[in-house]
Amino acid sequence: MSLCRINNGSLAFGHTPLLKNVDFSIEAKERVCIVGRNGAGKSSLMKVIDGQIQLDDGVLNIDSGITVSRLQQDPPQSEQSSVYQYIAAGLENIGQLLSDYQSLSLSIGTNSSEQQLNKLTRLQEQIETLDGWSIDSRIQAICKRLKLDPDALLTELSGGWLRKVALAKALVSEPDVLLLDEPTNHLDIDTIEWLEQFLQNFAGAIIFISHDRGFIERIANRIVDLDRGVMTNWPGNYQSYLEGKAEWLRVEEEQNALFDKRLAEEEVWIRQGIKARRTRNEGRVRALKALRQERKERVNRQGQAKMAVNESSRSGKLVFDVTDLNFDFEGQIIVNHFSTSVMRGERIALIGPNGCGKSTLIKLLLEQLQPSSGKIKTGTNIEVAYFDQYRETLDPEKTVQDNVGEGKQQITINGKDRHILSYLQDFLFSPERARTPVKALSGGEKNRLLLARLFLRPANLIILDEPTNDLDIETLELLESLLAEFPGTLLLVSHDRAFIDNTVTSSWWYAGDGNWHEYVGGYQDAVSQGAKFYKTELNETKQVETSSPVKTEQAKPKAKKLSYKLQRELEALPEQMEQLEEQIESLQALIGEADFFEHDQQYVNDTLAKLSDSEAQLETLFTRWEELEELQQAANN
């Protein structure tokens, strides 16, 4: 029996069709993954199911008594709320009563006033009337299951624990359908694996969106593909979907070729001379017009990216020789007596939790930071291409073409001259898109542009720090293939287990207290050799306990909580950023329309300017959010 159904549903964003007469349903205990390229309409479909967006046409049916709950993408942030109160907010009236009762219970002491006690009694009576204590037991059970302290303040929790709290809130209503939009975002590998195990034991149905192929393979038992508004269903695992989709695209290509051949023949007929026109078949003319209209409405599939590294001359056999390397920052040990040798052709992944020092270790190797002690010997003839999404900058006012070619029309790749527009088409930028200002690009397009610029540089050492963000699965797989064939040396930082396994030959694992252990192979190989995931919180706790009295006194100012005003500002930022992201997404979809640049020039300029302003505002808000997060985390530590 279907819990949720969409019949003949249609949804368009401007002139871009996201859903074209689709039928969708989900059964009890199904695990459905929605896949598709960026902008295909995956999140929009989820919002339709959640009731946030209405279909342009068609019907959404959710059976009576069926509860749908959605995991919010942004983790909760509120100093005024405990874990219990935030989870209880996932329920309606009874949740507020339980939250008030818990808050008042914690505040009442031995000198409680009669007014406080009377209020507590009234709340208790209201809860009993509504059978609320059974709900309280449910909240306590969820906290126990997720190992959450119900009395803890949200500001005392790390990002991974905040994601668990958000999941608890989504689960407290015991939903029949759980919606998860990129649930592994901002999670390290350890937390991702915990989430996988939890979802495998979840009793209800799950609909989720993810680009993490390992996560999809472990959770999904059906794949729903969105491609140019068309929805196709693929029962089974992710590998079965890949094989079926390849065949589906092959058949589509053959059918389109036959259609185009027939249309061409009819166009030749309609353009024959005077004699042919006298005997023209009006029915055939009407059929030709229908063919023309059908061809006009066809949404062509975007091509696949083609990448190639501009290889440099070979480096020396030794790339790095590290001896007894040590580095600490503000009393925190990041690297502790690490020794290793990196030889030409090795491909190494740095694996560890967020904040353990992976990027710092890379900067030490590149001599961007000086070690506290120890030696790093760099080999000869090393040419580095470094992808760091937070360091690399693109000029938003310049076009895609100018950001890569720097005004040149011809570039040289591996000794061969190519036109810049031809090179950019390998990264899915059409000539028209290549002449578009960078400020009009989506996040995925900007990442592809960064890769295009990176691979243009001659290099025999590639360093990639979280390169997979915002890239669709097809582009990820092509990047894997490229790196696997790269004859130089690779250093990689990523939480994508499949990407690591398909790319590297060895791994450096964070082993706690600044220690790094080496293992042969990728993520799964290291696990089979006994590698374990260590949390940085253990190291931070130990550091606080062993700090000298002088350092403890210096750290006291950091222990102050954020002011009420700053806390309120921090609470409001996620919603503001989400609104701006939705506005940017709308503008990007508008600019991405085929006929956008055919509009009045003033309209085009105004739209591009609006997009640029929105992106600048989002960047400002994100920077402010990071600042307040750091202040809050410093206070918690």
Side-chain angles (χ1 to χ4, degrees), residues 481-509:
S481 176
L482 171 71
L483 295 176
E485 297 173 0
F486 177 56
T489 308
L490 169 70
L491 294 179
L492 169 69
V493 176
S494 178
H495 293 308
D496 188 324
R497 293 158 297 175
F499 190 81
I500 293 172
D501 286 336
N502 295 336
T503 304
V504 306
T505 56
S506 61
S507 308
W508 295 350
W509 274 65

PDB file of all heavy atoms in Angstrom, residues 481-509:
ATOM      1  N   SER A 481      38.485   8.872 -12.557  1.00  0.00           N
ATOM      2  CA  SER A 481      39.193   8.230 -13.658  1.00  0.00           C
ATOM      3  C   SER A 481      40.426   9.027 -14.051  1.00  0.00           C
ATOM      4  O   SER A 481      41.503   8.461 -14.311  1.00  0.00           O
ATOM      5  CB  SER A 481      38.244   8.077 -14.852  1.00  0.00           C
ATOM      6  OG  SER A 481      38.914   7.542 -15.962  1.00  0.00           O
ATOM      7  N   LEU A 482      40.277  10.343 -14.077  1.00  0.00           N
ATOM      8  CA  LEU A 482      41.397  11.216 -14.434  1.00  0.00           C
ATOM      9  C   LEU A 482      42.539  11.074 -13.427  1.00  0.00           C
ATOM     10  O   LEU A 482      43.704  10.926 -13.796  1.00  0.00           O
ATOM     11  CB  LEU A 482      40.912  12.661 -14.486  1.00  0.00           C
ATOM     12  CG  LEU A 482      41.989  13.737 -14.624  1.00  0.00           C
ATOM     13  CD1 LEU A 482      42.588  13.697 -16.014  1.00  0.00           C
ATOM     14  CD2 LEU A 482      41.408  15.119 -14.353  1.00  0.00           C
ATOM     15  N   LEU A 483      42.196  11.105 -12.137  1.00  0.00           N
ATOM     16  CA  LEU A 483      43.229  11.036 -11.102  1.00  0.00           C
ATOM     17  C   LEU A 483      43.901   9.671 -11.076  1.00  0.00           C
ATOM     18  O   LEU A 483      45.097   9.567 -10.795  1.00  0.00           O
ATOM     19  CB  LEU A 483      42.616  11.349  -9.736  1.00  0.00           C
ATOM     20  CG  LEU A 483      42.083  12.775  -9.567  1.00  0.00           C
ATOM     21  CD1 LEU A 483      41.406  12.939  -8.210  1.00  0.00           C
ATOM     22  CD2 LEU A 483      43.199  13.797  -9.722  1.00  0.00           C
ATOM     23  N   ALA A 484      43.124   8.622 -11.370  1.00  0.00           N
ATOM     24  CA  ALA A 484      43.698   7.277 -11.381  1.00  0.00           C
ATOM     25  C   ALA A 484      44.757   7.132 -12.473  1.00  0.00           C
ATOM     26  O   ALA A 484      45.709   6.362 -12.323  1.00  0.00           O
ATOM     27  CB  ALA A 484      42.600   6.239 -11.575  1.00  0.00           C
ATOM     28  N   GLU A 485      44.601   7.883 -13.570  1.00  0.00           N
ATOM     29  CA  GLU A 485      45.545   7.800 -14.684  1.00  0.00           C
ATOM     30  C   GLU A 485      46.659   8.847 -14.602  1.00  0.00           C
ATOM     31  O   GLU A 485      47.597   8.818 -15.394  1.00  0.00           O
ATOM     32  CB  GLU A 485      44.787   7.973 -16.003  1.00  0.00           C
ATOM     33  CG  GLU A 485      43.772   6.860 -16.263  1.00  0.00           C
ATOM     34  CD  GLU A 485      42.913   7.132 -17.475  1.00  0.00           C
ATOM     35  OE1 GLU A 485      43.115   8.198 -18.113  1.00  0.00           O
ATOM     36  OE2 GLU A 485      42.044   6.308 -17.801  1.00  0.00           O
ATOM     37  N   PHE A 486      46.561   9.762 -13.659  1.00  0.00           N
ATOM     38  CA  PHE A 486      47.556  10.825 -13.521  1.00  0.00           C
ATOM     39  C   PHE A 486      48.904  10.225 -13.111  1.00  0.00           C
ATOM     40  O   PHE A 486      48.997   9.516 -12.107  1.00  0.00           O
ATOM     41  CB  PHE A 486      47.075  11.833 -12.474  1.00  0.00           C
ATOM     42  CG  PHE A 486      48.039  12.936 -12.173  1.00  0.00           C
ATOM     43  CD1 PHE A 486      48.519  13.763 -13.181  1.00  0.00           C
ATOM     44  CD2 PHE A 486      48.496  13.154 -10.871  1.00  0.00           C
ATOM     45  CE1 PHE A 486      49.405  14.796 -12.903  1.00  0.00           C
ATOM     46  CE2 PHE A 486      49.369  14.176 -10.575  1.00  0.00           C
ATOM     47  CZ  PHE A 486      49.836  14.999 -11.598  1.00  0.00           C
ATOM     48  N   PRO A 487      49.976  10.470 -13.872  1.00  0.00           N
ATOM     49  CA  PRO A 487      51.259   9.825 -13.562  1.00  0.00           C
ATOM     50  C   PRO A 487      52.016  10.473 -12.416  1.00  0.00           C
ATOM     51  O   PRO A 487      52.998   9.913 -11.925  1.00  0.00           O
ATOM     52  CB  PRO A 487      52.032   9.968 -14.879  1.00  0.00           C
ATOM     53  CG  PRO A 487      51.481  11.224 -15.494  1.00  0.00           C
ATOM     54  CD  PRO A 487      50.029  11.265 -15.115  1.00  0.00           C
ATOM     55  N   GLY A 488      51.577  11.647 -11.975  1.00  0.00           N
ATOM     56  CA  GLY A 488      52.265  12.345 -10.899  1.00  0.00           C
ATOM     57  C   GLY A 488      51.801  11.885  -9.529  1.00  0.00           C
ATOM     58  O   GLY A 488      51.302  10.773  -9.345  1.00  0.00           O
ATOM     59  N   THR A 489      51.932  12.767  -8.543  1.00  0.00           N
ATOM     60  CA  THR A 489      51.632  12.464  -7.147  1.00  0.00           C
ATOM     61  C   THR A 489      50.365  13.202  -6.730  1.00  0.00           C
ATOM     62  O   THR A 489      50.113  14.318  -7.170  1.00  0.00           O
ATOM     63  CB  THR A 489      52.811  12.887  -6.250  1.00  0.00           C
ATOM     64  OG1 THR A 489      54.016  12.323  -6.776  1.00  0.00           O
ATOM     65  CG2 THR A 489      52.617  12.434  -4.820  1.00  0.00           C
ATOM     66  N   LEU A 490      49.568  12.561  -5.860  1.00  0.00           N
ATOM     67  CA  LEU A 490      48.293  13.138  -5.431  1.00  0.00           C
ATOM     68  C   LEU A 490      48.180  13.100  -3.912  1.00  0.00           C
ATOM     69  O   LEU A 490      48.454  12.077  -3.285  1.00  0.00           O
ATOM     70  CB  LEU A 490      47.120  12.353  -6.047  1.00  0.00           C
ATOM     71  CG  LEU A 490      45.718  12.669  -5.497  1.00  0.00           C
ATOM     72  CD1 LEU A 490      45.272  14.068  -5.931  1.00  0.00           C
ATOM     73  CD2 LEU A 490      44.712  11.621  -5.963  1.00  0.00           C
ATOM     74  N   LEU A 491      47.762  14.225  -3.325  1.00  0.00           N
ATOM     75  CA  LEU A 491      47.360  14.283  -1.922  1.00  0.00           C
ATOM     76  C   LEU A 491      45.902  14.714  -1.899  1.00  0.00           C
ATOM     77  O   LEU A 491      45.542  15.722  -2.516  1.00  0.00           O
ATOM     78  CB  LEU A 491      48.215  15.279  -1.137  1.00  0.00           C
ATOM     79  CG  LEU A 491      49.697  14.934  -0.980  1.00  0.00           C
ATOM     80  CD1 LEU A 491      50.411  16.032  -0.193  1.00  0.00           C
ATOM     81  CD2 LEU A 491      49.875  13.598  -0.293  1.00  0.00           C
ATOM     82  N   LEU A 492      45.056  13.963  -1.175  1.00  0.00           N
ATOM     83  CA  LEU A 492      43.616  14.177  -1.213  1.00  0.00           C
ATOM     84  C   LEU A 492      43.044  14.274   0.196  1.00  0.00           C
ATOM     85  O   LEU A 492      43.356  13.450   1.059  1.00  0.00           O
ATOM     86  CB  LEU A 492      42.941  13.014  -1.960  1.00  0.00           C
ATOM     87  CG  LEU A 492      41.418  12.912  -1.889  1.00  0.00           C
ATOM     88  CD1 LEU A 492      40.774  14.055  -2.666  1.00  0.00           C
ATOM     89  CD2 LEU A 492      40.951  11.566  -2.432  1.00  0.00           C
ATOM     90  N   VAL A 493      42.186  15.272   0.413  1.00  0.00           N
ATOM     91  CA  VAL A 493      41.391  15.375   1.635  1.00  0.00           C
ATOM     92  C   VAL A 493      39.930  15.248   1.232  1.00  0.00           C
ATOM     93  O   VAL A 493      39.437  16.023   0.410  1.00  0.00           O
ATOM     94  CB  VAL A 493      41.615  16.717   2.361  1.00  0.00           C
ATOM     95  CG1 VAL A 493      40.699  16.832   3.570  1.00  0.00           C
ATOM     96  CG2 VAL A 493      43.070  16.858   2.790  1.00  0.00           C
ATOM     97  N   SER A 494      39.231  14.242   1.780  1.00  0.00           N
ATOM     98  CA  SER A 494      37.829  14.030   1.427  1.00  0.00           C
ATOM     99  C   SER A 494      37.166  13.151   2.471  1.00  0.00           C
ATOM    100  O   SER A 494      37.823  12.342   3.136  1.00  0.00           O
ATOM    101  CB  SER A 494      37.721  13.375   0.044  1.00  0.00           C
ATOM    102  OG  SER A 494      36.364  13.118  -0.291  1.00  0.00           O
ATOM    103  N   HIS A 495      35.834  13.331   2.636  1.00  0.00           N
ATOM    104  CA  HIS A 495      35.036  12.447   3.481  1.00  0.00           C
ATOM    105  C   HIS A 495      34.204  11.476   2.630  1.00  0.00           C
ATOM    106  O   HIS A 495      33.399  10.724   3.172  1.00  0.00           O
ATOM    107  CB  HIS A 495      34.085  13.267   4.372  1.00  0.00           C
ATOM    108  CG  HIS A 495      34.792  14.098   5.394  1.00  0.00           C
ATOM    109  ND1 HIS A 495      35.724  13.570   6.253  1.00  0.00           N
ATOM    110  CD2 HIS A 495      34.701  15.417   5.703  1.00  0.00           C
ATOM    111  CE1 HIS A 495      36.178  14.534   7.055  1.00  0.00           C
ATOM    112  NE2 HIS A 495      35.576  15.641   6.723  1.00  0.00           N
ATOM    113  N   ASP A 496      34.394  11.523   1.307  1.00  0.00           N
ATOM    114  CA  ASP A 496      33.663  10.638   0.399  1.00  0.00           C
ATOM    115  C   ASP A 496      34.424   9.317   0.306  1.00  0.00           C
ATOM    116  O   ASP A 496      35.456   9.219  -0.363  1.00  0.00           O
ATOM    117  CB  ASP A 496      33.543  11.303  -0.975  1.00  0.00           C
ATOM    118  CG  ASP A 496      32.628  10.541  -1.921  1.00  0.00           C
ATOM    119  OD1 ASP A 496      32.628   9.294  -1.870  1.00  0.00           O
ATOM    120  OD2 ASP A 496      31.925  11.187  -2.718  1.00  0.00           O
ATOM    121  N   ARG A 497      33.911   8.265   0.966  1.00  0.00           N
ATOM    122  CA  ARG A 497      34.625   6.999   1.051  1.00  0.00           C
ATOM    123  C   ARG A 497      34.815   6.365  -0.322  1.00  0.00           C
ATOM    124  O   ARG A 497      35.883   5.798  -0.620  1.00  0.00           O
ATOM    125  CB  ARG A 497      33.874   6.049   1.993  1.00  0.00           C
ATOM    126  CG  ARG A 497      33.885   6.498   3.443  1.00  0.00           C
ATOM    127  CD  ARG A 497      32.749   5.896   4.218  1.00  0.00           C
ATOM    128  NE  ARG A 497      31.462   6.342   3.689  1.00  0.00           N
ATOM    129  CZ  ARG A 497      30.289   5.897   4.126  1.00  0.00           C
ATOM    130  NH1 ARG A 497      30.248   5.004   5.081  1.00  0.00           N
ATOM    131  NH2 ARG A 497      29.162   6.357   3.601  1.00  0.00           N
ATOM    132  N   ALA A 498      33.771   6.420  -1.169  1.00  0.00           N
ATOM    133  CA  ALA A 498      33.884   5.824  -2.507  1.00  0.00           C
ATOM    134  C   ALA A 498      34.935   6.549  -3.330  1.00  0.00           C
ATOM    135  O   ALA A 498      35.720   5.919  -4.051  1.00  0.00           O
ATOM    136  CB  ALA A 498      32.526   5.869  -3.215  1.00  0.00           C
ATOM    137  N   PHE A 499      34.977   7.868  -3.233  1.00  0.00           N
ATOM    138  CA  PHE A 499      35.963   8.664  -3.970  1.00  0.00           C
ATOM    139  C   PHE A 499      37.372   8.300  -3.506  1.00  0.00           C
ATOM    140  O   PHE A 499      38.287   8.148  -4.323  1.00  0.00           O
ATOM    141  CB  PHE A 499      35.686  10.152  -3.753  1.00  0.00           C
ATOM    142  CG  PHE A 499      36.482  11.059  -4.642  1.00  0.00           C
ATOM    143  CD1 PHE A 499      36.087  11.287  -5.944  1.00  0.00           C
ATOM    144  CD2 PHE A 499      37.631  11.688  -4.178  1.00  0.00           C
ATOM    145  CE1 PHE A 499      36.824  12.125  -6.781  1.00  0.00           C
ATOM    146  CE2 PHE A 499      38.367  12.532  -4.991  1.00  0.00           C
ATOM    147  CZ  PHE A 499      37.963  12.749  -6.298  1.00  0.00           C
ATOM    148  N   ILE A 500      37.555   8.140  -2.202  1.00  0.00           N
ATOM    149  CA  ILE A 500      38.862   7.755  -1.665  1.00  0.00           C
ATOM    150  C   ILE A 500      39.257   6.367  -2.174  1.00  0.00           C
ATOM    151  O   ILE A 500      40.368   6.155  -2.676  1.00  0.00           O
ATOM    152  CB  ILE A 500      38.835   7.777  -0.124  1.00  0.00           C
ATOM    153  CG1 ILE A 500      38.677   9.217   0.388  1.00  0.00           C
ATOM    154  CG2 ILE A 500      40.102   7.151   0.451  1.00  0.00           C
ATOM    155  CD1 ILE A 500      38.454   9.314   1.890  1.00  0.00           C
ATOM    156  N   ASP A 501      38.342   5.403  -2.056  1.00  0.00           N
ATOM    157  CA  ASP A 501      38.647   4.018  -2.449  1.00  0.00           C
ATOM    158  C   ASP A 501      38.992   3.911  -3.928  1.00  0.00           C
ATOM    159  O   ASP A 501      39.814   3.078  -4.326  1.00  0.00           O
ATOM    160  CB  ASP A 501      37.469   3.101  -2.127  1.00  0.00           C
ATOM    161  CG  ASP A 501      37.348   2.813  -0.640  1.00  0.00           C
ATOM    162  OD1 ASP A 501      38.366   2.918   0.064  1.00  0.00           O
ATOM    163  OD2 ASP A 501      36.243   2.483  -0.180  1.00  0.00           O
ATOM    164  N   ASN A 502      38.353   4.731  -4.764  1.00  0.00           N
ATOM    165  CA  ASN A 502      38.556   4.646  -6.208  1.00  0.00           C
ATOM    166  C   ASN A 502      39.743   5.463  -6.695  1.00  0.00           C
ATOM    167  O   ASN A 502      40.049   5.447  -7.892  1.00  0.00           O
ATOM    168  CB  ASN A 502      37.297   5.109  -6.947  1.00  0.00           C
ATOM    169  CG  ASN A 502      36.114   4.199  -6.705  1.00  0.00           C
ATOM    170  OD1 ASN A 502      36.278   3.025  -6.376  1.00  0.00           O
ATOM    171  ND2 ASN A 502      34.917   4.737  -6.861  1.00  0.00           N
ATOM    172  N   THR A 503      40.420   6.173  -5.782  1.00  0.00           N
ATOM    173  CA  THR A 503      41.431   7.129  -6.218  1.00  0.00           C
ATOM    174  C   THR A 503      42.823   6.872  -5.656  1.00  0.00           C
ATOM    175  O   THR A 503      43.813   6.994  -6.371  1.00  0.00           O
ATOM    176  CB  THR A 503      41.000   8.567  -5.828  1.00  0.00           C
ATOM    177  OG1 THR A 503      39.712   8.842  -6.374  1.00  0.00           O
ATOM    178  CG2 THR A 503      41.986   9.593  -6.345  1.00  0.00           C
ATOM    179  N   VAL A 504      42.940   6.500  -4.371  1.00  0.00           N
ATOM    180  CA  VAL A 504      44.247   6.537  -3.715  1.00  0.00           C
ATOM    181  C   VAL A 504      44.877   5.151  -3.603  1.00  0.00           C
ATOM    182  O   VAL A 504      44.229   4.119  -3.777  1.00  0.00           O
ATOM    183  CB  VAL A 504      44.139   7.164  -2.304  1.00  0.00           C
ATOM    184  CG1 VAL A 504      43.474   8.527  -2.389  1.00  0.00           C
ATOM    185  CG2 VAL A 504      43.373   6.252  -1.341  1.00  0.00           C
ATOM    186  N   THR A 505      46.182   5.170  -3.298  1.00  0.00           N
ATOM    187  CA  THR A 505      46.940   3.932  -3.090  1.00  0.00           C
ATOM    188  C   THR A 505      47.328   3.743  -1.632  1.00  0.00           C
ATOM    189  O   THR A 505      47.715   2.641  -1.241  1.00  0.00           O
ATOM    190  CB  THR A 505      48.218   3.943  -3.947  1.00  0.00           C
ATOM    191  OG1 THR A 505      48.997   5.116  -3.627  1.00  0.00           O
ATOM    192  CG2 THR A 505      47.867   3.974  -5.427  1.00  0.00           C
ATOM    193  N   SER A 506      47.256   4.800  -0.831  1.00  0.00           N
ATOM    194  CA  SER A 506      47.562   4.687   0.594  1.00  0.00           C
ATOM    195  C   SER A 506      46.849   5.796   1.354  1.00  0.00           C
ATOM    196  O   SER A 506      46.354   6.762   0.759  1.00  0.00           O
ATOM    197  CB  SER A 506      49.077   4.748   0.853  1.00  0.00           C
ATOM    198  OG  SER A 506      49.614   5.977   0.408  1.00  0.00           O
ATOM    199  N   SER A 507      46.805   5.645   2.695  1.00  0.00           N
ATOM    200  CA  SER A 507      46.049   6.586   3.521  1.00  0.00           C
ATOM    201  C   SER A 507      46.847   6.975   4.760  1.00  0.00           C
ATOM    202  O   SER A 507      47.550   6.132   5.339  1.00  0.00           O
ATOM    203  CB  SER A 507      44.720   5.953   3.973  1.00  0.00           C
ATOM    204  OG  SER A 507      43.999   5.433   2.884  1.00  0.00           O
ATOM    205  N   TRP A 508      46.711   8.252   5.146  1.00  0.00           N
ATOM    206  CA  TRP A 508      47.219   8.721   6.432  1.00  0.00           C
ATOM    207  C   TRP A 508      46.005   8.954   7.324  1.00  0.00           C
ATOM    208  O   TRP A 508      45.156   9.791   7.020  1.00  0.00           O
ATOM    209  CB  TRP A 508      47.999  10.019   6.289  1.00  0.00           C
ATOM    210  CG  TRP A 508      49.256   9.900   5.479  1.00  0.00           C
ATOM    211  CD1 TRP A 508      49.874   8.763   5.034  1.00  0.00           C
ATOM    212  CD2 TRP A 508      50.065  10.991   4.995  1.00  0.00           C
ATOM    213  NE1 TRP A 508      50.993   9.055   4.309  1.00  0.00           N
ATOM    214  CE2 TRP A 508      51.146  10.414   4.270  1.00  0.00           C
ATOM    215  CE3 TRP A 508      49.997  12.370   5.092  1.00  0.00           C
ATOM    216  CZ2 TRP A 508      52.129  11.190   3.667  1.00  0.00           C
ATOM    217  CZ3 TRP A 508      50.974  13.150   4.496  1.00  0.00           C
ATOM    218  CH2 TRP A 508      52.033  12.557   3.785  1.00  0.00           C
ATOM    219  N   TRP A 509      45.919   8.214   8.406  1.00  0.00           N
ATOM    220  CA  TRP A 509      44.766   8.293   9.307  1.00  0.00           C
ATOM    221  C   TRP A 509      45.126   9.067  10.563  1.00  0.00           C
ATOM    222  O   TRP A 509      46.157   8.813  11.194  1.00  0.00           O
ATOM    223  CB  TRP A 509      44.311   6.891   9.722  1.00  0.00           C
ATOM    224  CG  TRP A 509      43.370   6.253   8.757  1.00  0.00           C
ATOM    225  CD1 TRP A 509      43.648   5.882   7.485  1.00  0.00           C
ATOM    226  CD2 TRP A 509      42.006   5.902   8.989  1.00  0.00           C
ATOM    227  NE1 TRP A 509      42.539   5.312   6.908  1.00  0.00           N
ATOM    228  CE2 TRP A 509      41.525   5.304   7.805  1.00  0.00           C
ATOM    229  CE3 TRP A 509      41.152   6.014  10.087  1.00  0.00           C
ATOM    230  CZ2 TRP A 509      40.226   4.832   7.677  1.00  0.00           C
ATOM    231  CZ3 TRP A 509      39.861   5.541   9.968  1.00  0.00           C
ATOM    232  CH2 TRP A 509      39.400   4.973   8.771  1.00  0.00           C
TER     233      TRP A 509
END
